[in-house]
Amino acid sequence: MPALGSAEFGVRTFYAASHPNDKCGPNGLPLTPNSVKILGRFQYLTTLSHPRLCQYLDISKTKHECMIVISEHHKSSVKEKLNSGQGLSENAAVSLGFQILEGLTFLHEKNVVHRNLSMDNILIEKQGNIKLSEYGLYYMTDYGADVSFPIGLPHYMAPEVLCSGPLKVDEDSGQCIQPISGPKVDVWSFGIILLELLLGREVWSGLSLQETFVKLMLLIKSDMSPLDYLCQDASLSEKLKGTSKELKDLLRLCLTVSSSKRATSEEVKQHPIFRSSRENAVAHKREFDIFTAEVRSADLELPTYEETIANDFSDDHLSQRSMQEVYYLWRLAGGDLDGALRKAGMSKTRPPIHLLPCYGILDGDVFGQDRDNAELLNNTVITLSQEQLRFRLREIPATAYYPLLEDESKYLSENQLPASPSYGDLANSATLPLVIREKDVDYQFHRIILFERLLNAYPFKRPYIWREARVDIPPLVRAHVWAAILEVEGDLEGWYTSIDKETPTATDRQIEVDIPRCHQYHELLSSPTAHAKFKRVLKAWVLSNPQYVYWQGLDSLCAPFLALSFNSEALAFACLSAFIPKYLHKFFLRDNSAVIQEYLAVFSHLISFHDPELGNHLDGIGFIPDLYAIPWFLTMYAHVFPLHKIVHLWDTLLLGNSSFPLCIGVAILQQLRDRLLSFGFNECILLFSDMPEIDIERCVQDSIRIFCSTPKSATYRQHARPLKPKNSTDRPNVSYYSRDYHDQPQTDLSMEPIPLEELKSEKYPRISAEDLIELGELAGSANSRSPTKKRQNSKPMILILDVRHHEEYKRGTLQGSINIPFQTAFSPEGELNPCPAVQILNSRRNQVIVVVGNRGRFAANFANELVRLGYSRVCVLHKGIDIFRTTNLLIIPPADI
Amino acid sequence: MPHSIEKDFTYSFDTKTTTSSLKVPLTVPLHISAKEFVSRLVHLHNLPCFVQQDLEDKLEEFVAKETIQLHDKNADDAIQKVKTGEIDSDDLIRQWLPVYSQELKSYAKPYQLSKDEKFAEVYHNLIHSPALETLLNLEHEYSLGVDKLTRERDRDLQHLQDKQRADMDEALQNVGSIYKDEDINLLAQKQFENTQIVEGKWSSELRALHEQQKNEYREWVFQVHEDSKGKAPLPAYVQRLRSLSSTLPDAGVDERQAHVTRLEESFTIHLGAQMKTTHNLRLLCTDILDLCRHKPHTVGGMVIPQPQRLQTAMSLYSNNLCGLILLADNRLNSYTGIKQKFAQICDSSTDFHFPTLDSQLQTIEQQLPKAAEVKAKKKGGNDDMDQLSLHSTSSSSSEEKEKSGDKKLHSGDFYLTKHSNLSEVHVVFHVVSDDNLRTSDITSRHPVILSIRNIIKLCFRYDINTLTVPLLLTHEMSEEMTISWCMKRAELMFKCVKGFMIEMATYSSQESKTIQFLVPRGLSEELFHQISNMIPTIFRLSNPLVVKSN
């Protein structure tokens, strides 16, 4: 995306044609509104960046199919040059013409036909270079089929366009019946424009619409060459007399009626007359891409100091930022599109009561309605004032635009926020709710700049990105930050291209059925463009993972990635490919029941562990996780929430390990706790069939809390992803807890697979001896594996409860444990018999209770009873006390407690 | 003229010993990148990797060439057709002209506001200014005038009726003695004529009054608007304003209380699976015409306009309209039943903004032939589908219908009237219903329900944010409406409306709507509560706010 420079933001509106009532497409679903189609097609245009083109920035859709397009804009246009009345000199016209051609050839190379070239939309920027604008209208409207107005002005209309007649739309396909205009129509328009530049006035000035058409028609029908035909006009031939033969030749090349004889834009550009222009032209540099196998700094040239000075080093640092970024900040700084349009009188519509029809029939057709004149195409461009944004950012010092990443002193500091003079403010902002931070222009400004620099240094700066992402992720750069967190790197485009996404396969049908139901409230994702992309990405995933199958839900998983990296299917695909093994290892096996069953069993353990009351209630009414939680986990909540909530959830989820999603599940249940406790089975089913609103930020905070208070081995699953071969050192080892359990080396004291039956019969999680040692600091705090200094609450406190016979306990137990022998613990009513040890147990209720027994079922039964009694955070030591025999951690308890 | 064309691409390459060649069909223009196509080829034909780059270059060149040729051919064909006269050039130009003059602002005739719209604009400005109260009071004054006239009319007609009855009674008693049967007939005819004359006189008087008031009012509004625009800081206009508003005494305590409390209950609901939109539902039990009728409302002994009136007036030209569904029969008039009552309410004050009900109905009538044409076309086009959607209309003698033709209303059609003088409504949808609505086994494909779908669609399209729907699809309680009948009907309607709302919200903005479900007066309170208890089971209510003690 090019830098802002001296560009302004221009806004145009137009109305998409509305469909006749209740028409259905070939798939039986209602037709997609044209506005949504346009929205989808538009996205490609934002990827076109060229110095001779006005950058497209954004599109939005308002009520009644009105589209608002925001693009780069410059105030003066070539038309003003024309209005001076004087024609340009041959040299001036040629050099202007060459610049237009540069833009046109770039467009044609990218398969975009302008079709709309006219004097009005050839703009001139401050330095005097030209920029084409409005070049995407023909493309984004599906070659004019989605709008009811014609594209291109009659003056510049190529003969074949005129002869094809006004556009007609095929009722069934929604596409135009006439052939789509080829790039050569632009060459004709270019010829006319060149002629007008020389002439200093319009070729057919002062003619009415009809007269223009008649003239053009006569020109087409005559056998003279168009240039000769036009030269019948005395003033024109006068003007052309003085010009070189080469120029006339060029004009003839362009102004040829027959398309096959007309030159292409590239051929015109190679015309001898442009020789010197071509030599002086600066090659257009390719966009910087962080995911590539090429050497990214190959043609990096650092300007010398002198050059920088010579290039008029400006104090306007904002203008050095990318246009998209400035536009994003503009919106945050209170930039109000509707307001600007209203002020300019562009959004003025007639009151709806005047437009209402007066009669409607059963089939839905209505009669007697009025058309709103506001729907006619209005070519006015509104420029958005950047004043407010600049005012908001005026206090920001120049250094904040160029933050240093390699400053060692800050690198080590506790707080991870970028250091800037307004640092104090930022630290404050960082504690505000996320929704507010995302709307705070100052805060976002700093965050975006920081992330942008970090991403440029990706993958080298991955640990830094990781750390910053723990604070928050600015929405503007989210797609790339997620990719960085998922450790995506390399030549994604090449990888994606090499997968065959076109050949039909057996899963196509299911994919086609699922896509039109996946997050369709999202305007972008409901467009046909998105559907096509969806299909390609999903097919690519299925093909590149032959061991897996397509399960419904994969579409939901794909949606957040596709919505974020809409213009890069490869990136969306790569993220999806990295995400699934991390969180959903083996979930997409043809027979995934063992994997899912284990996952759900662990989930119910976790519910009981954190909320035994709720767990007991749900168990009691038979509302087991199988009934509601499978779509949660299979889609990592992407099927449950709307996209704007998913992104916030995943911002945190991506930083957590593969067990974190379980904690989110518990957090969701806790938010609905009151209702669930009061509900019976049927009401619970009803509640989850249509998920109530969930406060996502609270959910995220809760799940982090739950995660931190859960011993790592409690969420052990044998089907989780096994240890990765390479031990990535990229990610900072910030805490013992955010690592996957499987990433730690295995020892005798580690967790091991438990048969599913056993897992399901238990109401509590098991923890490993290793975890017990860690949590109880049995080996002394120096041996702790977590490198970060623990705060008081960063790690759960534990209480070790030895349930063996008192004699056995006497012979040797773990340090700090208390003893309640199982045989004597419970009264006939099932209550705990009071004794000093029970008092200790009751007084330390918020701690993790580790029930330790030996090989028998004592520990298991004891723990089940505790859960039944509503004790929270009960777990059992896996394999009992015997496992400690080989260690030297067993001690003789002090006499009598 | 095709958009794309199939071409054979051939490629050959040499290895040490052999020359291999490859021929594949491909569609021009290629809709995926050449690179991707090449990798497909490589996979499919197991090509060696060293040809990949060369193949890609060749393919790209081939596609570019063929694409240009395709475009050229299409273009030249089009030009040739005009040159040879196969397509008439004048005709072509005639086709082009309206495309520009009707779709591009720069070529179109500048839009002229009609007289009504000019008035609308001025009115909308004034009603959102301090002049609001004055305007309403003035409107109210006028409506009192109309009221007076209608009362006189009613009295006169009553008087006439009484007198005629007396005459008739007397005559009937004396049949055979003084009067003959023919005389009675004659008398009856004469009386009827008399009534017609008197009625005609009154209605023309009423019309004249409406017309006069409307003109006066509009003139006044323009005048006030001119005054307020004038540079001199609002002398005349403020005075006019003050004089009117100062005459209002303060409200007495007892008068502030609402007159009749109507049974109602409100709900806030969420619709949608992932993305939720918030809407409001209200269940209320009252006579549907109560939403139209102005009730007398007194302050300090003076009759003044109702507060609802203010809301209705202020939002008339806004993007927040209120609509109401009224069930009607298949005749476009207002002579009988609820239509007549509705017409009386419309006439009880002057509509300063829209034509009278009668003339609106006339306008609607003009649209009927057009509608019939569309219907006929659809019928011809797709017989099966038509039968499916129309099977529930009583189509015993469809041919007869065809003959009586275009002017007939069919079950499930609706016509729409606009009003500025009703109490809580701007737009009334008159849905043509039929008798089988009384049976208990109507389905979601019943024409009236489909019509409600069309209406909800219009509401989304034209910013009608509040819609009142007769929940049981009747305006009065009747015998066959047992408890189970009512519950079944209510459930069907809730579910259908929910479905329509979800459907319509799919592509439109996240605006929230209010749907008022109306049950007729006379429904037992118990049944009302049963129906209202049904709402939470069908709609997802928004999260209850639970206050916790800690």
Side-chain angles (χ1 to χ4, degrees):
Chain A
M1 189 67 65
L4 176 67
S6 59
E8 311 248 9
F9 298 134
V11 186
R12 284 169 203 261
T13 60
F14 66 89
Y15 280 80
S18 49
H19 286 304
N21 137 75
D22 276 351
K23 271 206 61 175
C24 287
N27 59 356
L29 295 170
L31 286 183
T32 316
N34 282 324
S35 55
V36 173
K37 282 194 199 164
I38 293 171
L39 214 66
R41 289 184 64 90
F42 174 84
Q43 304 304 320
Y44 171 66
L45 294 170
T46 60
T47 65
L48 304 180
S49 299
H50 189 274
R52 298 289 165 261
L53 298 181
C54 285
Q55 179 73 39
Y56 275 107
L57 292 168
D58 193 18
I59 190 165
S60 65
K61 160 182 179 261
T62 60
K63 272 203 294 199
H64 311 325
E65 305 284 279
C66 177
M67 312 298 300
I68 304 178
V69 177
I70 298 100
S71 65
E72 174 186 355
H73 185 65
H74 298 271
K75 284 237 168 76
S76 59
S77 74
V78 173
K79 187 158 196 179
E80 285 157 29
K81 289 208 170 191
L82 215 60
N83 283 347
S84 60
Q86 286 292 316
L88 297 180
S89 71
E90 183 174 328
N91 279 342
V94 165
S95 74
L96 259 185
F98 183 73
Q99 292 200 343
I100 298 172
L101 275 176
E102 280 182 308
L104 280 183
T105 47
F106 178 80
L107 283 176
H108 294 166
E109 209 176 287
K110 298 283 177 187
N111 293 324
V112 175
V113 177
H114 193 312
R115 236 303 271 268
N116 197 14
L117 201 58
S118 77
M119 281 292 179
D120 301 281
N121 51 36
I122 302 175
L123 308 181
I124 301 177
E125 61 167 350
K126 274 217 176 96
Q127 287 81 9
N129 292 318
I130 71 100
K131 293 232 178 202
L132 303 184
S133 83
E134 282 293 87
Y135 53 86
L137 198 58
Y138 190 60
Y139 179 86
M140 73 173 106
T141 56
D142 197 6
Y143 313 107
D146 296 343
V147 288
S148 48
F149 54 82
I151 294 170
L153 294 177
H155 287 227
Y156 305 100
M157 193 184 268
E160 60 266 33
V161 178
L162 180 74
C163 291
S164 302
L167 185 125
K168 289 188 195 75
V169 176
D170 179 56
E171 286 214 2
D172 292 323
S173 69
Q175 287 177 332
C176 58
I177 291 174
Q178 285 101 333
I180 292 162
S181 294
K184 283 183 181 175
V185 297
D186 294 342
V187 176
W188 174 277
S189 312
F190 170 73
I192 298 280
I193 284 173
L194 200 59
L195 198 58
E196 290 186 346
L197 286 176
L198 291 166
L199 201 59
R201 63 166 174 83
E202 286 183 1
V203 172
W204 286 306
S205 55
L207 294 189
S208 75
L209 189 61
Q210 183 165 13
E211 287 161 343
T212 314
F213 280 128
V214 171
K215 278 263 183 185
L216 188 56
M217 196 56 95
L218 289 175
L219 180 151
I220 293 168
K221 284 189 160 177
S222 88
D223 289 327
M224 291 161 80
S225 111
L227 193 63
D228 295 335
Y229 184 87
L230 291 171
C231 278
Q232 290 170 324
D233 181 336
S235 71
L236 208 154
S237 64
E238 184 69 24
K239 196 84 195 179
L240 283 182
K241 259 182 200 155
T243 57
S244 67
K245 198 173 152 287
E246 276 183 328
L247 184 61
K248 272 182 229 155
D249 183 47
L250 175 71
L251 286 171
R252 265 181 227 284
L253 260 181
C254 300
L255 298 176
T256 308
V257 171
S258 162
S259 171
S260 49
K261 291 181 189 133
R262 204 181 307 149
T264 65
S265 55
E266 188 56 44
E267 284 161 10
V268 176
K269 201 174 150 195
Q270 297 306 327
H271 192 270
I273 200 169
F274 295 125
R275 202 177 302 115
S276 63
S277 306
R278 274 200 305 274
E279 279 159 11
N280 296 334
V282 189
H284 169 49
K285 263 196 204 153
R286 276 193 49 200
E287 280 286 297
F288 183 74
D289 185 1
I290 68 169
F291 300 107
T292 173
E294 285 163 37
V295 183
R296 279 194 270 159
S297 310
D299 52 351
L300 181 72
E301 278 172 43
L302 290 176
T304 60
Y305 179 69
E306 286 74 24
E307 270 173 355
T308 317
I309 296 294
N311 279 347
D312 203 11
F313 188 75
S314 95
D315 278 340
D316 184 7
H317 300 289
L318 194 66
S319 66
Q320 303 297 311
R321 306 301 311 169
S322 89
M323 231 175 261
Q324 191 194 24
E325 188 182 313
V326 179
Y327 174 68
Y328 183 78
L329 292 171
W330 179 87
R331 299 288 306 251
L332 289 183
D336 174 17
L337 276 181
D338 282 344
L341 288 175
R342 214 174 314 119
K343 228 168 103 190
M346 294 249 294
S347 66
K348 195 168 171 195
T349 50
R350 288 166 66 193
I353 197 150
H354 283 313
L355 302 171
L356 278 164
C358 67
Y359 184 58
I361 61 172
L362 184 61
D363 295 314
D365 294 279
V366 290
F367 304 90
Q369 71 273 41
D370 241 357
R371 183 163 182 206
D372 192 346
N373 240 54
E375 288 179 17
L376 302 197
L377 179 69
N378 186 347
N379 274 318
T380 324
V381 185
I382 311 286
T383 48
L384 301 174
S385 162
Q386 296 169 7
E387 232 167 82
Q388 196 174 356
L389 175 65
R390 289 178 187 274
F391 182 75
R392 283 291 297 272
L393 300 178
R394 72 194 183 285
E395 302 271 301
I396 289 177
T399 50
Y401 286 87
Y402 312 97
L404 294 177
L405 304 179
E406 294 294 342
D407 194 339
E408 285 298 317
S409 61
K410 269 147 206 156
Y411 195 90
L412 292 174
S413 72
E414 181 80 2
N415 210 319
Q416 296 117 351
L417 278 170
S420 76
S422 53
Y423 177 76
D425 295 350
L426 280 194
N428 282 340
S429 308
T431 60
L432 291 170
L434 187 62
V435 236
I436 297 179
R437 272 180 278 159
E438 288 194 347
K439 296 271 182 295
D440 182 335
V441 56
D442 278 326
Y443 184 75
Q444 288 298 318
F445 170 80
H446 284 104
R447 299 292 289 167
I448 289 170
I449 287 186
L450 176 71
F451 269 103
E452 205 236 19
R453 284 179 91 86
L454 287 172
L455 285 168
N456 280 342
Y458 178 81
F460 168 59
K461 280 290 179 193
R462 179 161 33 221
Y464 202 148
I465 295 177
W466 185 278
R467 204 170 24 241
E468 287 299 334
R470 285 166 63 98
V471 180
D472 58 29
I473 301 174
L476 186 68
V477 294
R478 186 172 272 134
H480 282 151
V481 175
W482 279 14
I485 296 173
L486 286 167
E487 304 181 10
V488 168
E489 52 189 87
D491 180 16
L492 306 182
E493 208 60 56
W495 178 25
Y496 186 67
T497 316
S498 70
I499 303 169
D500 176 9
K501 300 163 288 280
E502 300 295 320
T503 312
T505 60
T507 44
D508 286 6
R509 247 191 70 79
Q510 189 59 47
I511 293 178
E512 265 164 31
V513 170
D514 288 347
I515 290 171
R517 300 151 171 228
C518 181
H519 290 283
Q520 294 299 294
Y521 56 85
H522 192 271
E523 281 168 347
L524 204 50
L525 290 189
S526 61
S527 65
T529 316
H531 288 187
K533 284 172 185 280
F534 247 129
K535 191 174 164 191
R536 285 160 55 82
V537 173
L538 289 175
K539 283 189 71 161
W541 188 85
V542 174
L543 274 173
S544 53
N545 291 279
Q547 74 276 33
Y548 294 137
V549 297
Y550 175 85
W551 278 102
Q552 276 185 311
L554 194 65
D555 51 333
S556 299
L557 274 175
C558 178
F561 295 118
L562 190 63
L564 283 183
S565 357
F566 196 79
N567 281 322
S568 173
E569 282 169 42
L571 184 59
F573 167 72
C575 288
L576 183 70
S577 299
F579 183 87
I580 290 177
K582 189 173 174 193
Y583 295 100
L584 294 162
H585 185 64
K586 289 196 191 168
F587 266 63
F588 289 93
L589 282 177
R590 183 168 295 281
D591 178 13
N592 57 5
S593 66
V595 187
I596 290 189
Q597 287 302 324
E598 186 194 37
Y599 206 89
L600 293 175
V602 173
F603 180 54
S604 7
H605 292 169
L606 214 54
I607 301 172
S608 297
F609 184 76
H610 288 285
D611 195 342
E613 192 188 348
L614 186 64
N616 289 339
H617 173 72
L618 295 180
D619 252 7
I621 59 173
F623 191 60
I624 49 173
D626 309 48
L627 295 171
Y628 58 92
I630 293 177
W632 294 9
F633 299 127
L634 197 62
T635 65
M636 281 300 132
Y637 305 96
H639 182 69
V640 186
F641 296 119
L643 276 167
H644 65 101
K645 290 188 171 178
I646 297 172
V647 290
H648 286 160
L649 192 67
W650 281 20
D651 275 354
T652 308
L653 186 135
L654 289 172
L655 296 168
N657 66 22
S658 69
S659 302
F660 188 70
L662 289 162
C663 303
I664 297 176
V666 178
I668 293 175
L669 289 180
Q670 290 204 329
Q671 237 178 75
L672 303 171
R673 187 172 195 271
D674 292 341
R675 262 180 284 175
L676 287 173
L677 280 178
S678 68
F679 280 175
F681 182 82
N682 288 343
E683 287 152 303
C684 284
I685 290 278
L686 214 60
L687 185 74
F688 281 118
S689 70
D690 184 2
M691 190 76 170
E693 287 267 20
I694 296 287
D695 176 347
I696 219 70
E697 192 163 12
R698 207 179 110 200
C699 177
V700 168
Q701 294 310 323
D702 287 349
S703 39
I704 293 175
R705 193 176 43 70
I706 289 166
F707 186 77
C708 288
S709 58
T710 312
K712 276 170 69 71
S713 52
T715 54
Y716 171 87
R717 284 155 289 121
Q718 58 170 311
H719 293 298
R721 181 159 64 158
L723 184 63
K724 272 195 300 177
K726 86 169 171 147
N727 206 349
S728 138
T729 48
D730 290 347
R731 203 192 304 173
N733 197 5
V734 274
S735 113
Y736 174 65
Y737 282 98
S738 53
R739 304 230 106 186
D740 240 312
Y741 188 73
H742 293 279
D743 286 354
Q744 307 292 341
Q746 299 276 309
T747 65
D748 287 347
L749 302 178
S750 304
M751 209 56 199
E752 50 193 27
I754 305 166
L756 187 60
E757 285 311 306
E758 212 172 307
L759 211 55
K760 279 180 136 178
S761 70
E762 297 172 349
K763 288 189 163 41
Y764 49 81
R766 299 190 188 189
I767 71 167
S768 67
E770 210 174 31
D771 243 5
L772 186 64
I773 297 172
E774 169 75 25
L775 295 171
E777 295 186 358
L778 297 178
S781 60
N783 284 356
S784 167
R785 284 210 215 148
S786 192
T788 44
K789 198 66 214 127
K790 289 162 236 53
R791 275 165 290 137
Q792 197 54 39
N793 56 0
S794 71
K795 188 179 84 152
M797 303 275 284
I798 64 162
L799 175 67
I800 303 173
L801 182 60
D802 196 328
V803 299
R804 292 172 302 157
H805 282 297
H806 195 61
E807 290 76 45
E808 284 179 87
Y809 172 72
K810 277 290 183 198
R811 259 179 258 141
T813 186
L814 290 164
Q815 193 188 352
S817 63
I818 57 169
N819 179 233
I820 309 178
F822 177 65
Q823 285 90 339
T824 55
F826 295 97
S827 67
E829 291 80 41
E831 299 292 321
L832 275 170
N833 288 321
C835 73
V838 171
Q839 274 175 15
I840 297 178
L841 182 66
N842 287 341
S843 68
R844 290 163 69 175
R845 273 202 115 149
N846 280 327
Q847 301 186 356
V848 173
I849 303 165
V850 187
V851 182
V852 177
N854 46 22
R855 256 166 265 153
R857 297 289 303 159
F858 284 175
N861 294 341
F862 199 107
N864 275 342
E865 289 299 307
L866 282 182
V867 171
R868 185 183 54 77
L869 289 172
Y871 282 88
S872 64
R873 305 193 181 179
V874 177
C875 54
V876 169
L877 174 65
H878 180 58
K879 291 211 281 198
I881 195 112
D882 289 348
I883 197 151
F884 285 104
R885 298 273 178 236
T886 55
T887 66
N888 49 3
L889 293 171
L890 295 182
I891 55 153
I892 304 293
D896 269 328
I897 303 176
Chain B
M1 282 176 272
H3 287 190
S4 57
I5 192 166
E6 192 138 302
K7 287 274 173 185
D8 283 330
F9 169 63
T10 48
Y11 176 71
S12 59
F13 60 96
D14 298 320
T15 48
K16 204 171 176 186
T17 50
T18 49
T19 299
S20 321
S21 79
L22 175 74
K23 186 172 164 187
V24 281
L26 52 83
T27 319
V28 172
L30 205 57
H31 71 283
I32 52 174
S33 70
K35 216 182 179 113
E36 197 175 332
F37 197 82
V38 165
S39 71
R40 275 184 72 187
L41 289 181
V42 169
H43 280 301
L44 218 60
H45 301 278
N46 216 1
L47 301 177
C49 62
F50 57 85
V51 302
Q52 203 161 340
Q53 190 56 50
D54 184 47
L55 177 58
E56 194 183 314
D57 296 343
K58 290 264 165 53
L59 182 77
E60 219 159 297
E61 198 182 307
F62 175 79
V63 170
K65 200 183 88 207
E66 291 297 333
T67 311
I68 289 177
Q69 267 181 18
L70 173 71
H71 285 309
D72 282 349
K73 187 177 171 303
N74 281 337
D76 287 351
D77 277 357
I79 295 171
Q80 210 51 42
K81 269 188 194 154
V82 173
K83 273 193 166 177
T84 58
E86 193 179 323
I87 291 173
D88 182 37
S89 57
D90 294 337
D91 202 41
L92 203 57
I93 292 174
R94 263 196 298 282
Q95 287 176 30
W96 271 109
L97 285 176
V99 175
Y100 277 91
S101 60
Q102 287 173 13
E103 300 289 346
L104 254 65
K105 202 152 250 175
S106 42
Y107 288 101
K109 268 184 257 150
Y111 181 69
Q112 289 291 328
L113 283 179
S114 69
K115 213 177 136 205
D116 281 348
E117 279 176 295
K118 264 185 214 150
F119 172 68
E121 219 163 77
V122 170
Y123 178 82
H124 193 65
N125 284 336
L126 279 188
I127 202 87
H128 288 92
S129 76
L132 155 76
E133 207 176 336
T134 323
L135 272 175
L136 286 183
N137 284 331
L138 188 68
E139 280 179 23
H140 189 65
E141 289 291 318
Y142 279 129
S143 82
L144 290 182
V146 176
D147 199 40
K148 194 168 146 234
L149 190 73
T150 45
R151 247 177 297 147
E152 270 173 38
R153 174 193 66 184
D154 292 345
R155 207 167 43 231
D156 194 21
L157 283 175
Q158 189 65 44
H159 179 75
L160 183 72
Q161 221 174 349
D162 290 348
K163 186 169 161 288
Q164 287 182 343
R165 195 178 303 121
D167 286 354
M168 186 55 86
D169 285 350
E170 196 199 322
L172 283 175
Q173 273 166 15
N174 298 323
V175 171
S177 54
I178 309 175
Y179 300 111
K180 280 180 276 182
D181 282 356
E182 296 95 272
D183 292 331
I184 300 287
N185 284 346
L186 220 58
L187 180 69
Q189 197 185 339
K190 202 173 146 207
Q191 285 188 344
F192 180 71
E193 275 166 12
N194 263 341
T195 318
Q196 289 242 302
I197 290 170
V198 175
E199 268 178 358
K201 174 190 149 255
W202 280 110
S203 81
S204 79
E205 203 158 311
L206 197 61
R207 237 191 342 259
L209 183 66
H210 281 324
E211 201 54 36
Q212 181 205 346
Q213 287 191 347
K214 190 166 169 176
N215 289 339
E216 269 182 36
Y217 181 79
R218 288 195 167 198
E219 206 172 295
W220 187 84
V221 165
F222 279 120
Q223 189 61 45
V224 172
H225 181 66
E226 282 305 309
D227 288 358
S228 68
K229 270 201 314 202
K231 277 194 190 118
L234 20 107
Y237 140 73
V238 167
Q239 249 149 38
R240 243 180 275 187
L241 222 158
R242 295 250 162 85
S243 65
L244 262 161
S245 48
S246 60
T247 55
L248 275 183
D250 287 334
V253 180
D254 53 329
E255 284 163 343
R256 284 173 190 263
Q257 281 157 4
H259 290 265
V260 200
T261 45
R262 54 190 184 199
L263 220 47
E264 62 174 74
E265 199 160 347
S266 300
F267 303 85
T268 302
I269 57 156
H270 288 311
L271 287 182
Q274 290 149 339
M275 187 61 128
K276 316 235 180 245
T277 51
T278 311
H279 303 276
N280 293 308
L281 298 184
R282 188 174 299 130
L283 181 67
L284 76 171
C285 175
T286 185
D287 184 17
I288 193 158
L289 293 178
D290 278 354
L291 298 175
C292 307
R293 191 180 290 128
H294 286 285
K295 273 140 279 183
H297 181 82
T298 54
V299 172
M302 264 191 68
V303 188
I304 66 142
Q306 271 182 298
Q308 284 99 321
R309 176 76 205 108
L310 178 81
Q311 174 71 31
T312 317
M314 284 177 74
S315 55
L316 181 60
Y317 294 110
S318 74
N319 291 25
N320 185 11
L321 297 173
C322 299
L324 177 142
I325 295 181
L326 199 65
L327 298 165
D329 56 23
N330 61 359
R331 282 176 298 274
L332 199 58
N333 57 33
S334 42
Y335 298 142
T336 51
I338 195 152
K339 291 194 297 185
Q340 189 185 20
K341 284 188 198 147
F342 176 71
Q344 281 169 356
I345 294 172
C346 290
D347 278 344
S348 69
S349 62
T350 306
D351 194 321
F352 300 112
H353 300 265
F354 302 112
T356 59
L357 185 62
D358 276 342
S359 59
Q360 288 197 44
L361 292 184
Q362 274 165 23
T363 320
I364 291 160
E365 205 170 351
Q366 287 163 10
Q367 300 292 336
L368 294 187
K370 253 194 261 174
E373 211 173 283
V374 172
K375 270 186 208 169
K377 214 160 112 193
K378 289 211 169 170
K379 207 165 201 160
N382 199 341
D383 250 323
D384 294 346
M385 213 180 84
D386 211 44
Q387 242 141 42
L388 198 75
S389 61
L390 282 176
H391 78 282
S392 42
T393 48
S394 47
S395 53
S396 52
S397 53
S398 56
E399 269 178 44
E400 197 180 314
K401 239 180 206 170
E402 296 287 306
K403 258 188 270 166
S404 69
D406 1 335
K407 297 224 166 168
K408 192 105 180 178
L409 298 174
H410 299 272
S411 173
D413 292 355
F414 67 87
Y415 52 95
L416 183 153
T417 53
K418 314 171 201 175
H419 306 272
S420 69
N421 58 344
L422 301 184
S423 114
E424 294 175 46
V425 191
H426 302 116
V427 177
V428 178
F429 298 95
H430 307 258
V431 175
V432 179
S433 63
D434 54 25
D435 280 344
N436 65 19
L437 270 184
R438 288 163 169 263
T439 60
S440 64
D441 55 348
I442 67 164
T443 67
S444 58
R445 301 291 299 164
H446 190 275
V448 171
I449 292 189
L450 292 179
S451 182
I452 290 178
R453 173 177 171 274
N454 293 335
I455 289 171
I456 292 181
K457 193 160 103 190
L458 274 192
C459 290
F460 274 85
R461 172 78 183 82
Y462 291 100
D463 302 321
I464 299 172
N465 288 340
T466 306
L467 180 69
T468 305
V469 183
L471 179 65
L472 304 178
L473 298 180
T474 67
H475 295 307
E476 276 158 351
M477 294 300 289
S478 64
E479 296 242 324
E480 64 272 9
M481 292 166 66
T482 57
I483 292 184
S484 70
W485 187 99
C486 290
M487 293 299 284
K488 199 174 160 197
R489 179 64 58 87
E491 185 183 347
L492 176 74
M493 283 292 288
F494 282 143
K495 285 186 173 160
C496 287
V497 169
K498 180 185 176 185
F500 300 152
M501 296 278 289
I502 292 175
E503 183 189 349
M504 300 314 162
T506 312
Y507 287 117
S508 45
S509 48
Q510 308 293 324
E511 249 174 22
S512 82
K513 302 266 168 198
T514 301
I515 304 282
Q516 301 197 88
F517 291 108
L518 191 91
V519 289
R521 185 173 282 161
L523 192 88
S524 76
E525 201 164 317
E526 192 198 336
L527 188 50
F528 181 87
H529 289 302
Q530 276 185 31
I531 292 176
S532 96
N533 285 338
M534 200 195 298
I535 291 183
T537 65
I538 292 174
F539 294 93
R540 151 82 56 229
L541 298 193
S542 65
N543 282 351
L545 209 59
V546 182
V547 183
K548 285 193 181 156
S549 50
N550 50 354

